[in-house]
Amino acid sequence: MSNALLLRLTEDLFAADKAGTYKRLKTIEGPIGDRIQLAGKGEVTLLSSNDYLGFANHPEIVEAARAALLKYGASTASVRFICGTQDVHEALEADLARFHGTEAALTYSSCWAANTGLFNAICGAGDVVLSDELNHASLIDGIRATAKDVVRGVYKHSDMADLEAKLKQHADAPSRMIVTDGVFSMEGDIAPLDQIVALAEKYDALIVLDDSHGLGVMGKTGHGTAEHFGVMDKIDIFTGTLGKALGAGTGGFVAGPKAVTETLIQKSRPHLFSNALPASVAAAGSKSLELLEAHPERVQSLQEKAAKFRVLLKELDLDPLEGDSAVVPVIVGETATAIRLAGELLDKGIFVTGFGFPVVPEGEARLRFQVSYAHTEAELEEAGRALATLLLASAK
Ligand SMILES: *Cc1c(COP(=O)(O)O)cnc(C)c1O
């Protein structure tokens, strides 16, 4: 047996440890919520999860999953097109299509799978795909997986002049597609969808919007970043996850024209070659959408909490990045600083994640707070004050 590869991995891990960038998994001994039980630490306030609406452990969603688990069993034991389609999958897809105002929707085992299975299936020779430079890794990988004769371009983050120049340059292509996150997860800012829609109309382009961090968070009724801009009916293809605000467990989807979803059923590799969502998750997804639509006040409360948290941080001179989403990053400088501060906050019972290079640019390491409907104002205030106190102490 050759040890060369294992030796190299061990050396790389050692180097990461030395650089302070080694990721260690933290073990949670119970459900996700505003407070969690963290192994070795006890109860802490969680400001790192995507559980924006407090749905991850919502009794009605858990019950919907439980009932489906008992009725349909644990696994489809198949991909969708062989024997992995149960009526709950079709019900969820009808719900997702109605929610987004699209003709159809198709579910995947994750949004990662949806994004990596979308572009290769629908893009043909000469088609142009233009992607925001800060798009999620799954969009990047999905676009990279297209055939060699598909033209791929990257435009500067939310830079409409750059996007327009690239659309103009490819005006004669068979089709143009603009691909963007709704909420950018490291910055907490949102794509200028009103301007993107205007450019798409001017240059006859399709819009693909991955609103994984926007669904349930943005817009008056939580329909996402497109609702925020009043352009729901101008988005051609939505992708998203069931595993963030919807709290359904896992799962992702593509919602759009039937010609797209039917093509995905024919050709999309994660759909053809990977298990269907478990029925329990599909049923949980439908219940989450139902609750979201029945309780827009949860969304409004979340938005108010996030806005108040930004104001509080500013009052504490912490200078959060501007934005309208529930992702509130505070830049602290060096990667090691972000990691040290996250560790010190955890010692004070506040769980927030530090992100450094290469996830974000060098010198822009940050703590990323994620606000949830589940948080009390006291919890948010305590977190802001704790960070302010630590920064004051380290400035001395
Ligand atoms: C989280 C996220 C995904 C991945 O979603 P999963 O369902 O967990 O695979 C995809 N795109 C964006 C923009 C995300 O934030």
Side-chain angles (χ1 to χ4, degrees):
M1 189 186 176
S2 161
N3 276 331
L5 186 135
L6 292 184
L7 192 63
R8 192 186 71 225
L9 297 184
T10 308
E11 281 168 5
D12 289 351
L13 288 167
F14 187 76
D17 198 19
K18 218 172 144 197
T21 58
Y22 195 104
K23 296 175 195 66
R24 288 188 173 75
L25 305 181
K26 295 184 182 69
T27 308
I28 295 161
E29 301 165 321
I32 292 299
D34 58 330
R35 305 272 294 165
I36 56 163
Q37 201 62 39
L38 192 61
K41 291 278 174 194
E43 196 175 273
V44 299
T45 301
L46 179 63
L47 285 136
S48 292
S49 97
N50 305 310
D51 182 27
Y52 296 117
L53 292 174
F55 278 178
N57 189 34
H58 190 291
E60 286 185 53
I61 294 169
V62 174
E63 180 50 36
R66 199 177 79 100
L69 181 65
L70 295 179
K71 179 172 177 191
Y72 295 90
S75 172
T76 61
S78 169
V79 301
R80 285 291 297 282
F81 90 93
I82 299 179
C83 58
T85 299
Q86 293 163 314
D87 50 8
V88 277
H89 295 107
E90 289 173 339
L92 172 59
E93 286 161 355
D95 290 341
L96 285 164
R98 190 180 38 73
F99 184 90
H100 288 95
T102 56
E103 215 178 352
L106 188 70
T107 57
Y108 285 80
S109 57
S110 66
C111 186
W112 184 278
N115 285 343
T116 54
L118 172 64
F119 301 96
N120 185 38
I122 64 172
C123 294
D127 285 347
V128 175
V129 184
L130 300 174
S131 172
D132 189 289
E133 68 179 337
L134 292 189
N135 275 344
H136 191 263
S138 55
L139 291 170
I140 295 171
D141 281 16
I143 293 166
R144 278 188 188 149
T146 52
K148 279 207 179 73
D149 53 11
V150 171
V151 181
R152 295 171 287 254
V154 173
Y155 61 92
K156 291 198 192 89
H157 178 49
S158 291
D159 183 331
M160 294 299 104
D162 192 27
L163 175 58
E164 178 159 19
K166 293 191 158 78
L167 286 165
K168 218 179 243 172
Q169 185 191 340
H170 296 292
D172 296 331
S175 86
R176 285 151 297 281
M177 194 182 280
I178 303 166
V179 184
T180 185
D181 282 15
V183 174
F184 291 89
S185 62
M186 285 299 142
E187 316 293 312
D189 62 335
I190 58 180
L193 287 180
D194 49 347
Q195 297 173 57
I196 289 176
V197 163
L199 287 178
E201 287 181 345
K202 187 168 172 194
Y203 294 96
D204 185 27
L206 285 166
I207 300 174
V208 177
L209 173 65
D210 176 349
D211 211 15
S212 288
H213 282 278
L215 173 58
V217 174
M218 301 300 301
K220 256 201 170 63
T221 62
H223 283 62
T225 311
E227 184 190 11
H228 176 88
F229 284 105
V231 296
M232 280 301 282
D233 59 342
K234 307 285 187 196
I235 305 300
D236 300 279
I237 300 174
F238 295 88
T239 72
T241 180
L242 305 179
K244 288 190 168 110
L246 290 179
T250 176
F253 62 86
V254 174
K258 200 158 183 168
V260 168
T261 58
E262 289 295 314
T263 300
L264 294 176
I265 293 172
Q266 316 309 310
K267 291 195 190 168
S268 174
R269 294 166 71 83
H271 209 265
L272 289 171
F273 298 109
S274 184
N275 250 302
L277 272 188
S280 51
V281 172
S286 283
K287 179 55 78 176
S288 305
L289 287 172
E290 183 193 317
L291 286 177
L292 171 55
E293 291 191 294
H295 296 288
E297 76 280 1
R298 266 189 188 246
V299 178
Q300 284 146 25
S301 167
L302 164 66
Q303 291 168 353
E304 282 162 23
K305 282 177 186 176
K308 259 192 172 167
F309 186 57
R310 285 178 197 276
V311 170
L312 169 78
L313 293 180
K314 280 185 207 163
E315 284 170 2
L316 293 167
D317 285 331
L318 289 178
D319 205 17
L321 292 186
E322 293 295 338
D324 299 294
S325 74
V327 175
V328 186
V330 176
I331 305 273
V332 296
E334 297 310 314
T335 302
T337 309
I339 290 170
R340 174 178 58 80
L341 286 169
E344 289 173 4
L345 282 169
L346 193 57
D347 289 338
K348 294 177 170 232
I350 292 155
F351 184 168
V352 57
T353 305
F355 290 94
F357 185 77
V359 179
V360 296
E362 196 116 48
E364 292 181 27
R366 61 200 65 186
L367 294 170
R368 183 178 72 169
F369 293 91
Q370 290 175 280
V371 178
S372 168
Y373 167 83
H375 289 128
T376 64
E377 289 193 13
E379 285 165 349
L380 293 172
E381 187 160 340
E382 191 199 349
R385 291 196 184 284
L387 177 58
T389 307
L390 286 176
L391 282 173
L392 263 182
S394 59
K396 271 179 198 156

